[in-house]
Amino acid sequence: MAPAPHPPVAADPRAGLRRAARTVLSGWAYLLVFAAAAHGLLRWPMLGVAAAAWLLALPVLAAWWHQDANERLLALHPYRRGAALHRWHARRVLPMAWRALLALLLTLAALLQTPFFGASEWTLLALAAPGYALLEAAFRRLGANQFATERHAQRWVRRATQGGLTLLLALAWATLRFADHDSVPLPLAERLGQWQAGWIDAPSHALRWALDALAWSQAGLETALSQLPPERRWQALAGLVLAPLALFGQSALAIAGCALSLPELRRAGAVPLWGEECAPRLSPGRATVWAAIAVLATWLWLDLAGRTEYLAQGSPSPFAVQALPECERIGGRVYRVGAEALLEQLGARTQKSLAASQAQACTALDKVRALAEPGVDAYLDWYFSLGAEWARLAAMLAGDAELLMRVKFEQMVLQGDGMGSALATVQREYAAQWGAALNARADALALLESQHLVLSASQCRVVRERGESPTLLALRSHSARLAAGSGAALIAGGLAGTVAAKAMAKASMKSASKLLLKAAAKKGLGKAGAAAAGAALGSVVAPGLGTALGAGLGAAVGLALGAGVDIALLAAEEKLERADMRRDLLDAVEESLAPYRTGLGCAATTP
């Protein structure tokens, strides 16, 4: 007759609640002890770290021994109790010792990962105990009627719960790492140096060796996640998901061990195994043996830790990165520390020398503007004179009227007293500014080249970073500003011609030239008529003197009348046009000087 299935756990909900509460509370208590050990990890000597790992490994050891006991009890069913095969399978000293060593190593591996923990890892560990209780309850309900015996059901529930919790925690960890891959954009060497500096003063040499080795894997993971394209980061995480399995697997086993009841703990440590549901209490003799074994195992473990520490003291950690030289990164290249400060000093010296030259040039530009006003007034006095009028008529007949006015403007406005020296000062200081800026930029580039390190950005610790040096940027901007506009013309000595050409291009001067052409035709006809009329008058008034002499006297009278007409017309034109022409000519001077004011950084003047 087949054995009846065990009654479902759901029939006793209070027992399930008590077990869940025991699991959660004991799991959180273990997490507190684990966090305390993690807090003191970098402060304790190696023996202290080994003792903490031994204490934290006890729940993991209990869980594994309990699972081994269940497995062996199931394997004992085919054998008759007391027979040789039954006694052979019931003895488990060597498997228990092997599992004890594995529990110690697994716990130590989990404890060594705590210096790399962030908020996400501690949050997942805090959720592990409630998650274990929920998964265990779910799997117990799911497998309640699936197994013939309670022991088979327990084995399946524990395996499913521990495996499911480990998998869920690992997936959650991978998801958080994927979402937070850009939080550490540091190069590999800098990240390693940052981490390893955190335990450089740890008293345990062996601990520093182990943490240095783990830092390489952690930094490699972060660097890979920050450099891989988004579509390949999940592949990298899938390959590296084994990294947290030790941590989360140890956490699941520790919670399972903390949740064991007293009868289950007796069964876990029973040697040899008993077939009854509950193993008997330890006798004084067995308790003494177990105490001696525990003392011996502790002594062996601490002795192993001490010998490891002694060996590690003899040489430096092979995984520690050497102290990286500090450097500055400017424009993607690395330089010695202080390169930017040297550039700033060079810029300050250059700015000081440029400031004196700038002041002289700006003062000279203001002087040019001030001297232009009386020069323009003198030019207009000439322009509206009878001699200038006749000179323009003569130049117009030769086709050089505009050239005459331009030459006269340069002579009377730009070649007056003091104007030549002022223009020469502007030209000299402008050229000096341009040359000083170019020389300073060349000196800055040479200085950077002398400070350049033949290293990659990952071979030094960047203490300061700039996309571009402000000093170089200012020098380049100053050179470009001087070169823009009319800088070349000024250095070539063409400022006077530029001012004169701009003045003659003004609308009032162009309209004056057009009026000159129209008036010339009228004045020519008027003067010819006045000469003819004068000749006729001379022949009538002085017929006795001869017709030719009378005509000559008449022509002279006509020319005198024409000059009077010219003077009257010039007076009328001056009254109408002089103010506009004066304003336009002074504006032409100021517009010609504006590019040089901008290049030199002078303040704009208010006319």
Side-chain angles (χ1 to χ4, degrees), residues 22 73 103 115 123 125 134 156 285 321 365 433 496 499-500 503 516 530 535 604:
R22 184 173 70 246
L73 285 174
T123 301
L125 290 180
L134 291 175
W156 180 82
V321 295
L365 284 173
Q433 286 260 323
V499 176
L516 175 63

Side-chain angles (χ1 to χ4, degrees), residues 42 46 112 116 196 199-200 202-216 308-321:
L42 302 180
M46 188 59 194
L112 290 177
F116 308 100
Q196 293 183 359
W199 52 75
I200 192 171
S204 172
H205 292 76
L207 179 65
R208 292 203 297 268
W209 278 42
L211 293 178
D212 289 344
L214 286 174
W216 280 93
T308 304
E309 178 68 14
Y310 176 76
L311 293 175
Q313 289 178 352
S315 58
S317 170
F319 305 103
V321 295

Side-chain angles (χ1 to χ4, degrees), residues 65-88:
W65 282 3
H66 183 261
Q67 293 176 10
D68 177 71
N70 283 337
E71 295 288 340
R72 290 182 177 275
L73 285 174
L74 290 175
L76 287 176
H77 283 293
Y79 308 112
R80 186 169 60 85
R81 187 171 182 178
L85 289 177
H86 186 278
R87 290 196 304 272
W88 174 259

Side-chain angles (χ1 to χ4, degrees), residues 400-421:
D400 295 331
E402 291 188 4
L403 178 61
L404 171 65
M405 291 189 290
R406 177 173 175 176
V407 170
K408 277 293 183 180
F409 184 85
E410 289 187 16
Q411 290 176 351
M412 304 183 74
V413 179
L414 302 175
Q415 296 178 8
D417 294 339
M419 182 64 78
S421 63

Side-chain angles (χ1 to χ4, degrees), residues 437-451:
L438 292 177
N439 290 335
R441 185 165 182 264
D443 292 342
L445 293 175
L447 187 150
L448 280 181
E449 191 62 31
S450 67
Q451 298 294 313

Side-chain angles (χ1 to χ4, degrees), residues 237-255:
L237 284 172
L240 294 168
V241 76
L242 292 176
L245 289 183
L247 170 66
F248 298 131
Q250 189 270 347
S251 178
L253 286 170
I255 294 172

